[in-house]
Amino acid sequence: MKLNKLLLGFITSLLFLPSARAAYMCSELFDTQPDMSAVRNAILSTVGNERSYFLRPSMKPHFEEVEFNEKIAESYDHPTETDEGVVLFHGNIFAEGYFRMTRLGVMNPPSTVSLIDQQPWFQWDPVKRTYTKKFGHAENVLLSPNMIDHKVTLYRGINADQVAQLRSLKSGQTEVLNQIFTNKRDSMFFTTDEESAKKWSKGYYIELTVNESDIAKVYTGIEYNYVEIAIPSKEVMQKSIASLKVHKHKPTGT
């Protein structure tokens, strides 16, 4: 009996440690995983523009040809592409490249802020064993695995001029915000994946810490095989800039 109490106390104490809390939260997602038929039914329920976000027009939904069970399991560790345009992350379904397809190269594109509410995705319900279509605000699902002490660390590859801009902002020169946020570029992109950020690097990459209270003010989605975060708010950028860390990085092959 005494051993059982000690064991229970040890497990309980772990849940109050930041890393243990994150691990516990992620383990909850493993209880009931979706299967191929659930993924297939969810994607085939899309129509119009939604269909093109998840399945590009030139692609056919050959879901049976993909080893979904293996890919679903992989998705709990990192974003996993399952078909052209479809990405799974923690068993939920996201449209790869939604931001890119919606904003870039589009006449009169919607603002990044508006996309926070509009992005379509599917959330897995392990109790009902089905997917529920959602619109926008995927930040909890996408960022929770990286949330520690109510904060998430973001990374971005940049060049020397951008480093100078951000250092000026950190020193209190708030007018720099008008150079970062312009009519054509209304947001700054980051990722939770440090290695992906290094690939964007032009000599440097940075890290920035954003508070959980500000997460709802950013756009979150999937780009290729990593989580993408767009900060479209001067307020969030100004509040987070104190945490700025700059790393030199020489891209591979240079």
Side-chain angles (χ1 to χ4, degrees):
M1 180 67 71
K2 183 177 181 180
L3 181 61
N4 288 341
K5 287 184 177 179
L6 287 172
L7 183 60
L8 179 61
F10 175 70
I11 293 173
T12 302
S13 68
L14 282 178
L15 297 182
F16 290 92
L17 294 173
S19 59
R21 273 207 310 270
Y24 175 76
M25 181 168 56
C26 292
S27 70
E28 291 284 275
L29 299 169
F30 279 86
D31 291 345
T32 306
Q33 294 186 18
D35 55 29
M36 183 190 75
S37 62
V39 176
R40 186 179 192 279
N41 291 340
I43 299 303
L44 293 183
S45 73
T46 57
V47 294
N49 284 340
E50 270 181 26
R51 172 68 63 89
S52 69
Y53 295 141
F54 291 95
L55 290 173
R56 295 181 187 154
S58 62
M59 298 299 294
K60 294 181 180 179
H62 291 162
F63 292 100
E64 288 80 3
E65 297 176 8
V66 181
E67 295 293 335
F68 269 96
N69 291 338
E70 179 181 339
K71 287 187 175 292
I72 288 168
E74 290 175 359
S75 79
Y76 286 90
D77 295 321
H78 53 79
T80 303
E81 295 177 86
T82 63
D83 207 324
E84 194 73 21
V86 182
V87 172
L88 288 172
F89 186 53
H90 280 236
N92 302 292
I93 306 173
F94 299 90
E96 185 270 313
Y98 174 74
F99 182 94
R100 172 166 33 86
M101 295 171 67
T102 306
R103 265 191 59 81
L104 302 185
V106 177
M107 292 291 292
N108 302 314
S111 68
T112 299
V113 170
S114 71
L115 296 186
I116 294 173
D117 297 311
Q118 296 172 11
Q119 175 192 202
W121 59 289
F122 288 89
Q123 186 169 35
W124 173 246
D125 186 327
V127 177
K128 297 180 180 178
R129 296 189 61 81
T130 188
Y131 280 102
T132 302
K133 186 186 296 181
K134 301 283 186 178
F135 289 93
H137 298 283
E139 63 274 358
N140 289 334
V141 170
L142 290 171
L143 299 181
S144 288
N146 298 97
M147 191 79 66
I148 297 177
D149 284 342
H150 304 288
K151 297 178 180 180
V152 62
T153 300
L154 310 180
Y155 303 91
R156 174 183 171 88
I158 60 175
N159 60 34
D161 289 341
Q162 292 168 322
V163 168
Q165 268 188 345
L166 293 174
R167 281 176 169 160
S168 295
L169 179 60
K170 185 175 182 178
S171 71
Q173 299 178 44
T174 56
E175 65 273 13
V176 173
L177 287 167
N178 294 324
Q179 299 171 30
I180 297 173
F181 298 95
T182 66
N183 290 335
K184 291 185 178 180
R185 188 182 65 245
D186 70 353
S187 58
M188 179 173 273
F189 265 88
F190 295 83
T191 178
T192 52
D193 182 23
E194 187 173 3
E195 293 306 310
S196 293
K198 288 178 182 179
K199 293 176 184 178
W200 307 346
S201 170
K202 294 182 180 179
Y204 302 86
Y205 75 95
I206 60 170
E207 60 179 274
L208 209 65
T209 301
V210 176
N211 292 323
E212 185 177 20
S213 58
D214 291 317
I215 292 303
K217 300 172 186 175
V218 305
Y219 165 86
T220 56
I222 297 286
E223 180 74 4
Y224 304 110
N225 61 348
Y226 55 81
V227 176
E228 62 177 5
I229 301 94
I231 298 181
S233 164
K234 292 181 179 180
E235 175 194 7
V236 173
M237 183 62 74
Q238 192 169 350
K239 288 170 66 176
S240 306
I241 198 64
S243 65
L244 176 70
K245 293 181 182 178
V246 179
H247 305 277
K248 286 187 176 182
H249 178 68
K250 186 177 181 179
T252 304
T254 61

